Amino acid sequence: MALAAGTRLGTFEITGELGAGGMGEVYRARDTSLKRDVAIKVLPESFVNDASRLARFQREAEVLASLNHPNVAHIHGLERSAGTTALVMELVEGPTLADRIAEGPIAPHEALNIAMQIAAALEAAHVKQIVYRELKPANVRLEPDGTVNVINFGIAKTIEPHALSGPQNPSLTTPPM
């Protein structure tokens, strides 16, 4: 659902598009109440009436809300306004790891720093029984201060605690895609 600059979702005003993928469209927006810039993720228009996609979107919000780690982009809330459901998230500035790789070789010390921060984010998710499932350079943002953020938990799955105690395969709380 393409949102034009100036569109309002509750207290958020869209200021531009940041990107789009199969699981959502992401916009830069201004939180007019708290005077800060945020990222707003909405479902693509083709999925706004799909109950399973809306449920998956809700689960993404809940997964993000359960995580509090400096290397995972934070969620600020779930906004429902004018028939649109949107995740309101921390706006992570900086290029993606894919952009950085495209620039050329990464020095070993820089690569190690990036890898350690990604591992720390994944470890934080695993401690909460969350399997990320979409680790790729386009889902890693590199902030100017050197902080690495893992973004896009759209297809992450939570493992049911009882599934971890036995030799059987872990069951996931959501059906497979």
Side-chain angles (χ1 to χ4, degrees):
M1 109 178 310
L3 299 176
T7 301
R8 301 237 356 178
L9 295 172
T11 63
F12 305 96
E13 183 175 340
I14 303 298
T15 59
E17 186 174 347
L18 292 173
M23 297 298 291
E25 298 165 353
V26 183
Y27 298 89
R28 183 183 197 108
R30 183 74 178 162
D31 180 339
T32 59
S33 290
L34 298 176
K35 310 292 187 237
R36 64 179 173 182
D37 289 333
V38 296
I40 301 271
K41 180 179 180 180
V42 299
L43 285 173
E45 193 168 359
S46 58
F47 298 132
V48 295
N49 294 317
D50 182 330
S52 67
R53 293 290 180 144
L54 286 169
R56 187 177 297 151
F57 209 58
Q58 175 73 37
R59 280 189 298 276
E60 179 179 1
E62 292 169 1
V63 163
L64 285 170
S66 74
L67 294 172
N68 183 16
H69 192 274
N71 299 115
V72 175
H74 298 117
I75 186 167
H76 297 311
L78 184 63
E79 180 73 24
R80 291 183 174 95
S81 177
T84 300
T85 301
L87 300 180
V88 180
M89 301 174 291
E90 168 187 13
L91 178 63
V92 181
E93 302 281 4
T96 66
L97 180 55
D99 297 332
R100 176 61 190 87
I101 290 169
E103 291 176 6
I106 299 175
H109 71 278
E110 182 184 357
L112 182 59
N113 180 45
I114 292 168
M116 289 175 61
Q117 291 185 66
I118 292 169
L122 295 177
E123 179 182 31
H126 292 173
V127 165
K128 297 284 189 169
Q129 307 303 319
I130 298 165
V131 179
Y132 179 67
R133 299 188 342 141
E134 197 173 10
L135 186 59
K136 61 184 181 182
N139 285 339
V140 176
R141 285 231 174 239
L142 310 174
E143 293 185 66
D145 70 358
T147 302
V148 174
N149 270 276
V150 176
I151 60 173
N152 192 1
F153 277 72
I155 65 170
K157 300 287 183 179
T158 54
I159 300 172
E160 294 178 13
H162 67 79
L164 298 176
S165 60
Q168 69 277 14
N169 291 332
S171 63
L172 302 176
T173 61
T174 57
M177 293 176 59

